[in-house]
Structures are given as C-alpha cells and as structure tokens.
Amino acid sequence: MRLMRPLGHIRVRPELFGLALLTTTALTLAVPPPLAAAAQPAPVRSAGTAAFTVEEQRLDRAVPQEILRRGGFDTVAPDFVRSLRGADSYAEAERAVARNGARLWQRAVDRAQGRGPARGDLSRDDDRPLYWARLALTRELRQWQPEFDLSESGRAALLGKLERSSRGQDSMDFPARGDIKGAEETKGVKRIVLTGFDPFTLDRDIRISNPSGATALALDGTVIRTADGPARIEAAVFPVRWGDFADGTVEQALREPLSRADLFTTVSQGRVGRIDVERFNGAWRGGFGDNENVSETGLVPVSDPASQPQWTTTSLPYHSIVAADTGRFPVYDNTSVTEIPAGGTAPVVRPDGPTPGSAARAGGGGDYLSNEIAYRATLLRDRLGLDIPGGHVHTPVLQFGAGNTDPATGSVTDPEFVRNRLDIIAQLRTIITVAAENS
C-alpha cells in the first residue's frame, strides 16, 4: 500500500514502541530472591553486592513465572547456578557465563524455529521466555559470591558477556561465501543483519511481547530465497535501556557484522495496525522511561560528537517495499520529523523531512530507543563508508485478543495474540526479501 498523504506527527511518541506513557518513578519493591524450586539447588548469594535492577525486581511476579514455566525456561537459572558453582577461577567463570549465555540464545532460536522439543505450551514464536530467563541469569550472577576474589569491575565484565552472548550479539557470524547448505548458487549469497528489541513498558502490562524480538529469533541463521538468489540473515536483540546505548552496545555489536553485510534492518514495535519504513532518524533523546525506569533527554551520545549529524537517512529501497504486497498490514514510507528550524527556538513538525540546518527533536521513528538504534546503525554505516542499504522498520503494535486486554485479569496469551505475532513475523520476512531483491 502506498502512502497517499502525510500522516500526523506526535512529538513525544512512546506509542512508537506500542503503548502509552508510564510513570518513570523508580520501583520501591523489596528485593526478591532468585528463582529456585524446592528440588533445585539453592541460589548462590553474595554479601554486600549491588541490589537487583528494576528489571530483575519484576521477575518474581506471577506473569514472568508463568511465562518461564509455560515456555519451558524455568530450569535455565538453576542450571546456571550449577555452572557458577563449578567455577574455581575467573577464567572458568568467564567460560561458564559465555557458554550459558550462548546456550540460552540458541535454545530460544531453536524453539522459535521449530527445532527440538517446545518444553511448554506457549507458542514457539514467543519472545518472552528469553527475556525473563536472561534476567534470571543476570540476577544470579549479580548476587554470586565465588570462592576466588571477584572485583565489581570483574563482575560487570561477566554481566556484559552474559548480556551479549544471550542476545546473539556476539554470534552474528556469516558463513564463508559458498558455504550455505542447500543453496543452488552460493557465490552470490547476500548477507543480512537484523536487530530486534526486548519487551518494554512492563509496568503498564507485564504480559507484553515484542514482535521485533520474536522476528529476530524466528529469522536468525535462516536463509531466504530471493529472485536474485539466497540471502543469509544474522540477528540479535537489544535492551530497552538508555545506559547501554550510551555505553556503545549498538556500535560494539554491529561494527563487524555491518562491515561484511549487504543489507541491514533494525526493527522495533511501532504504531497500531501498520508498518512504517522510517526515512529519517534524529539525534535526540526524548526522555521516555526505559525498562529501568530511567529517563534521558538530550543529544544522542556518540563517539566524536564534533562530527555528529542531526539527521541520518535510510538507504533501504522504501519505494519497492511500500509498493510490494508483503502481508496484511499496510506499509508506509514515513517521512515526518520534528525539528527546530535553523535560527528558530520552537519545535516544528515537518511531514516531508528535515530542513537544512535544523536541530532534531524526533525522527520518523520518534525520540525513543527505536529511533536511536536506527540513528546509530545508519551513522555507523556512514562512518564506516559502507555503500549498503539499511534503515529502520516499525512493526504494528502486538495486540491481545478481544476480552483479554486487562493486564490485571487477562491471560498471558490467546489465539489472536499468537496470530498477530505470526503475521508480523511473516510480513517482516517478506519485507526483508523485497529489500534484498531491490538492493
């Protein structure tokens, strides 16, 4: 479906991640104990270590526990505890963390792609077990007291390794040219990088799933067939946390894969009932609270800020994507931004993109982390001098079925919820195929 007219622009747009504003007041919950069942090993503990994070504090609520159990991921944390107890040195701990993180990511990918037992009655496409299981692991690691001396910087390094490995960020390895099984013509295999996000706005509805993360799990390591031949997809997911982005997690994870890619797509959850290819990305953080209930407002912090542009632009073949019949949701080329014009002081909505010399206040994808990952990835493309198509796609908001919309009384899944997520995944796969064929 083609964009027939400019669409209304909303200046502060957390709905571009799917839901309305939530309070950014920090949680004051008591620190809960790590996951452990009666027949499982007792949780490892340490004295005097940092308190659980806001995300980790949500873990013992009924819904996360149900998702872990029904997703078959409730044994992940106890298994991790055993691995930590067997580590007698930092090097052994590092290996245990990397092994368990990679195993968690691969288990989630295998489940999403139909390999091995489902280990639970949640649909295989569900991204939420991975999110909550990762938090169960980080919580155990945060409170671990090993027999050897472990500094807080050492613990932080282990937590970083666990985050990267359990998100697929350090396993975006493309096979050598000519080494994709079943490909009729492997010399011209295209290489595609795709990213998704964790669930977010969990204080509004802790049941929430993120179709961008589900798409990453469904497509990681898969080969799609295009009119120009096969294309291999490598995927990863990113946290909904301002601090991680400021620390350079996007650039660290994507620098090497992008340098070898033929195309990249960052994906997040956007508006209700539609898909948007975001034309312009802005260098501005709008302040909406993240998964730690932290708010950040100001310029996107990057290395070499002296050369930082206010805007970056998609190089995806948006005309071809919008024109193609990719699925049930209409697809738009979104050109709207909010800027402060050169010489001005007040924000102005521009339906046709930024004007010369303006300061960014929101890209087409808003002023939250979806806009920021698009900005960072396309800026990385430009700073590396890469002439490849890449940009951001916003999925529709993933909605529960009628009668299951109340977070307090609703179930964690329903048939319409699953159908919506499967349809979004399928349409994203087709959009990526169209992009590969027209690049």
Side-chain angles (χ1 to χ4, degrees):
M1 178 175 180
R2 293 183 181 275
L3 179 63
M4 302 303 294
R5 66 183 188 278
L7 299 173
H9 184 86
I10 303 171
R11 284 178 54 198
V12 180
R13 298 186 295 168
E15 75 280 5
L16 290 174
F17 264 67
L19 292 170
L21 286 166
L22 76 160
T23 179
T24 56
T25 303
L27 294 181
T28 57
L29 300 178
V31 178
L35 290 175
Q40 297 163 346
V44 289
R45 280 284 180 192
S46 93
T49 56
F52 295 133
T53 68
V54 171
E55 285 185 285
E56 291 164 354
Q57 287 180 40
R58 299 185 182 108
L59 188 58
D60 283 324
R61 298 184 192 178
V63 166
Q65 291 297 307
E66 181 180 353
I67 289 171
L68 284 170
R69 184 178 67 256
R70 295 180 62 184
F73 281 63
D74 53 340
T75 62
V76 170
D79 289 345
F80 185 47
V81 169
R82 295 185 183 93
S83 293
L84 289 179
R85 284 185 169 157
D88 296 326
S89 67
Y90 187 85
E92 289 183 7
E94 200 171 31
R95 287 191 291 271
V97 165
R99 183 173 63 251
N100 281 271
R103 185 181 296 158
L104 176 59
W105 172 256
Q106 192 59 52
R107 179 169 172 175
V109 168
D110 287 345
R111 191 179 195 277
Q113 296 180 17
R115 291 187 292 271
R119 296 191 180 94
D121 66 348
L122 286 182
S123 61
R124 283 183 175 265
D125 54 286
D126 204 317
D127 60 303
R128 296 171 297 176
L130 171 63
Y131 174 72
W132 293 111
R134 181 189 304 112
L135 288 173
L137 299 195
T138 61
R139 200 167 71 172
E140 293 292 359
L141 181 55
R142 198 177 307 280
Q143 295 297 305
W144 178 43
Q145 183 62 46
E147 296 299 324
F148 58 90
D149 290 335
L150 177 61
S151 67
E152 287 309 304
S153 62
R155 189 187 304 274
L158 292 176
L159 284 164
K161 184 176 287 292
L162 180 57
E163 285 277 344
R164 291 188 298 274
S165 60
S166 64
R167 294 179 176 281
Q169 292 178 5
D170 60 1
S171 60
M172 289 186 280
D173 299 323
F174 291 105
R177 301 284 186 187
D179 191 31
I180 294 181
K181 292 182 179 179
E184 293 84 358
E185 177 55 58
T186 56
K187 292 182 180 179
V189 172
K190 288 189 174 181
R191 303 175 178 201
I192 299 172
V193 171
L194 179 144
T195 70
F197 272 104
D198 287 347
F200 67 106
T201 60
L202 295 152
D203 291 332
R204 187 180 191 276
D205 189 345
I206 201 166
R207 304 174 301 161
I208 197 166
S209 163
N210 194 324
S212 69
T215 299
L217 291 175
L219 299 187
D220 182 47
T222 63
V223 176
I224 57 174
R225 305 291 167 170
T226 77
D228 300 325
R232 166 76 174 235
I233 299 172
E234 289 294 329
V237 296
F238 284 84
V240 183
R241 297 191 296 250
W242 294 112
D244 293 69
F245 277 51
D247 290 341
T249 186
V250 174
E251 292 81 2
Q252 293 163 20
L254 296 187
R255 186 179 306 275
E256 180 61 24
L258 288 195
S259 70
R260 295 182 286 124
D262 298 295
L263 182 149
F264 69 89
T265 307
T266 55
V267 184
S268 63
Q269 182 174 234
R271 301 167 179 87
V272 174
R274 58 181 281 177
I275 292 173
D276 290 280
V277 182
E278 307 295 357
R279 188 86 72 89
F280 303 103
N281 317 298
W284 188 256
R285 295 177 152 193
F288 183 61
D290 63 10
N291 273 354
E292 296 286 353
N293 291 340
V294 171
S295 176
E296 293 285 348
T297 304
L299 278 173
V300 170
V302 298
S303 62
D304 193 14
S307 66
Q308 178 178 13
Q310 287 293 305
W311 306 98
T312 63
T313 307
T314 188
S315 51
L316 290 171
Y318 49 86
H319 289 307
S320 299
I321 294 171
V322 169
D325 180 12
T326 56
R328 86 182 228 226
F329 297 102
V331 182
Y332 296 91
D333 166 24
N334 184 32
T335 59
S336 181
V337 301
T338 299
E339 66 175 19
I340 296 179
T345 58
V348 176
V349 174
R350 299 292 190 193
D352 297 318
T355 57
S358 67
R361 284 302 177 267
D367 54 16
Y368 196 39
L369 288 162
S370 55
N371 167 77
E372 185 160 330
I373 197 170
Y375 178 85
R376 288 180 178 277
T378 49
L379 180 60
L380 183 61
R381 172 202 63 194
D382 297 342
R383 285 182 167 180
L384 292 174
L386 302 174
D387 184 20
I388 60 173
H392 193 77
V393 176
H394 261 122
T395 77
V397 172
L398 181 59
Q399 296 178 301
F400 286 97
N404 189 33
T405 58
D406 187 342
T409 61
S411 62
V412 299
T413 190
D414 62 62
E416 185 175 347
F417 181 70
V418 173
R419 172 179 173 261
N420 288 338
R421 187 168 51 211
L422 288 171
D423 285 353
I424 291 170
I425 292 170
Q427 191 161 356
L428 261 292
R429 181 187 285 110
T430 303
I431 286 172
I432 292 166
T433 302
V434 171
E437 290 175 341
N438 290 275
S439 300

